Amino acid sequence: MALRLETSRLVLSPVEFADVGALRVLLIHPDVRRWLCDGRVLSEADVRGMVAQSREAFLWRRAGFFAMRTLHDGSLVGLAGLKPAVLGGPELVSALWPSLWRSGLAAEACRVVLHDAFERVGVQRVLAGADAPNFRSLALIHALGFRQIAITPGAFGTIRWFSLERPGATG
């Protein structure tokens, strides 16, 4: 797919089957899978299925997962994008190598994904959810300007749900 999002340090492009191996290594990292996969170790087939679903989502809903690569050398450092939320509507998701946490890359990627969602895709609202103990994701969600709308049961007690409206939207 020709879609490409760019920031000062990152290039984001829709995930491809060629990304499966690198994405799996990221997603099975203990610190990443704890929150993103509720601790589950994803198989290669699981990640391949995720990529297939994302590619289909780009065709039908114009949104899915982006591979996050550094602008200077193209190395895959994470994943960011939208998936259908259990509460309905698109949910912002991101994953980044733990060695890069606190670098601002996740916020940078999420901001460009949100801009794309509101401008190109045309969504009116994006959701974000995080397990209550996941203080890093909660801090990112707050920094992006989301407001809390619900609490639901989750693998680690509760999931806190947030919403961000399209800039300029009334509601």
Side-chain angles (χ1 to χ4, degrees):
M1 292 180 200
L3 181 60
R4 175 184 163 111
L5 307 178
E6 197 169 310
T7 72
S8 62
R9 299 183 292 168
L10 297 170
V11 173
L12 286 83
S13 57
V15 293
E16 298 288 343
F17 289 113
D19 300 323
V20 168
L23 287 172
R24 181 170 185 267
V25 172
L26 170 67
L27 295 173
I28 66 171
H29 186 286
D31 292 330
V32 174
R33 77 172 184 248
R34 175 179 183 194
W35 303 116
L36 194 61
C37 307
D38 293 337
R40 191 171 140 239
V41 176
L42 300 180
S43 68
E44 183 177 329
D46 292 330
V47 177
R48 186 171 294 286
M50 181 191 79
V51 169
Q53 287 176 344
S54 177
R55 290 173 53 83
E56 188 165 317
F58 272 109
L59 292 174
W60 296 105
R61 293 188 304 276
R62 301 175 36 161
F65 291 132
F66 292 93
M68 199 188 308
R69 291 183 168 78
T70 60
L71 193 58
H72 76 280
D73 70 3
S75 60
L76 191 135
V77 295
L79 170 79
L82 301 175
K83 71 173 191 169
V86 297
L87 298 182
E91 177 185 354
L92 180 66
V93 175
S94 69
L96 185 70
W97 280 107
S99 63
L100 298 171
W101 290 355
R102 295 182 305 279
S103 68
L105 288 174
E108 198 172 308
C110 288
R111 282 188 184 97
V112 75
V113 167
L114 288 167
H115 178 79
D116 181 63
F118 293 131
E119 298 303 320
R120 183 186 62 81
V121 181
V123 301
Q124 297 301 308
R125 174 178 86 144
V126 174
L127 300 175
D131 291 288
N134 187 350
F135 67 91
R136 287 182 182 89
S137 289
L138 292 170
L140 173 60
I141 289 166
H142 285 291
L144 294 170
F146 283 79
R147 65 178 177 77
Q148 187 166 322
I149 58 168
I151 296 175
T152 62
F156 299 98
T158 60
I159 298 173
R160 294 176 57 193
W161 287 96
F162 302 82
S163 174
L164 182 66
E165 304 295 322
R166 177 188 178 106
T170 58

